[in-house]
Amino acid sequence: MIKNFKYTFIAFLLQMVIAHAQNDPGKYTAPKDTMVIKKLSEWQDQKFGLFMHWGTYSQWGADASWTICPDDWVKRTGPYSNNYFEYKQAYENLQASFNPVAFNPAKWAKAAKETGMRYVVFTTKHHDGFCMFDTKQTDYKITSPKTAFSANPKSNITKEIFDAFRKEGFMTGAYFSKPDWHSENYWWPYFPPKDHNVNYSPSTYPERWRQFQDYTYNQVEELMTGYGKVDILWLDGGWVRPPAQDLNMPRMATMARTHQPGLIIVDRTVSGEFENYTTPEQEVPEKPLPYPWETCMTMGTTWSYSPHDTYKPVWQLVELLVKIVSRGGNFLLNVGPDGHGDWDPIVYDRLKEIGEWMKINGEGIYASQPVVPYSVDNIYFTQSKKERKIYAFWLAGKETVLLSENIQLPATLAPAIKQISLLGARQKLKWTVTGDHIIIHIPAALRQNALKQSAVFRIEY
Ligand code: GLC
């Protein structure tokens, strides 16, 4: 009990430190490469992306990778749960049966596009080391003859996904885990793995670590050369960093950008010149951050597919998007394909409804920037970067919105208003400015019908 409390408390403190580091502008190093600066700004305008965690673990509906990590051992349930080594073996045997024949990336790309998403980040390799691309560095991969799906013409899954999404105009991002719990140069079988870290001392065994560096370098090079244009290299596993676990990022980044000029590199939580944007995980910062950032969040409760998962309702997903964008961030929303290669039907439903809202209200989202005072009560603001327009998102906290007769906004928002409209409605609205407030008058006809998710006003000035 006391021990548990102690660990919880330490974990809490650690989280505070990490959160502080993530929100500390002093920790952000702006890129100097003009092509990176340009791509970063282009990426910031896209606002909404799709994240996908997919691998052999999806067959079990087990959380991606973590169940083979001694750290997480207590959380593991189900078969082989009495013996770590048997469990890991069974987990790795999932390679043989992985045969996601329903895989249809064009269908996903279309659904994501209809949702209003504009970039995709895909797990090319998670911590478990299984490669969802055709690497030459290991046989623990989707295209190995040991994997059932290797016989399928679409077996190079990463390539198929990037091609399909690019066809729909998406920017592409390769999630790549720096730790690799399959590699004998990360978890050397000579020692038992003890936690998520490398299980030997790289300074005592520099040759072994150098092999791991090369392995990682070569895999990243494969991803940067064989998969068309890649916009983001999203490196997870921030504990792999200098001084103890140094992958020589300057060397890797130079190589990657030689092949992919302007590549955005996200060396998560490490900070410094290779973390071009920060990635608050499963949370929305309380206020705008003075550098590029992206919230990554699950639509369900876990990163990877989990049967009978509970998915966030549409209104909540829309509100998350609005809050994030009003604070200058991007929203990377995660879904986990299942072991057969498709999404839960609920995911399609959610995305479709978000898309319906985005078709009417997306103009206040894309290419916008934060505007003071960012939000007042349940109203959140954005400002178009290019036009003299401000958007006010009235969040209802539920699926439907019934507007009241008067909506009150701070007068400081826009000096000389030319026009106010409710997106999706034809009527121009009347307003009055009284002291500190702009009061928008909502005609009776607009008050009768409930709007979906949230109401958005466009203020032209
Ligand atoms: C954390 C988790 C990892 C997950 C990632 C997504 O780093 O360890 O499993 O892929 O978050 O953001």
Side-chain angles (χ1 to χ4, degrees), residues 51 53 57 63-66 123 126-127 175 177 181 234 236-239 268-269 279-282 296-298 303 332 334:
F51 203 3
H53 277 65
Y57 46 78
D63 198 11
S65 304
W66 281 101
T123 51
H126 206 257
H127 315 329
Y175 168 110
S177 166
W181 299 335
W234 210 97
D236 200 14
W239 61 87
R268 293 191 80 196
T269 73
T279 53
E281 183 174 315
Q282 300 284 35
C296 53
M297 197 179 275
T298 51
W303 291 108
L332 185 62
N334 181 81

Side-chain angles (χ1 to χ4, degrees), residues 293-308:
W293 62 275
E294 167 195 81
T295 281
C296 53
M297 197 179 275
T298 51
M299 185 191 281
T301 57
T302 53
W303 291 108
S304 43
Y305 172 73
S306 162
H308 321 295

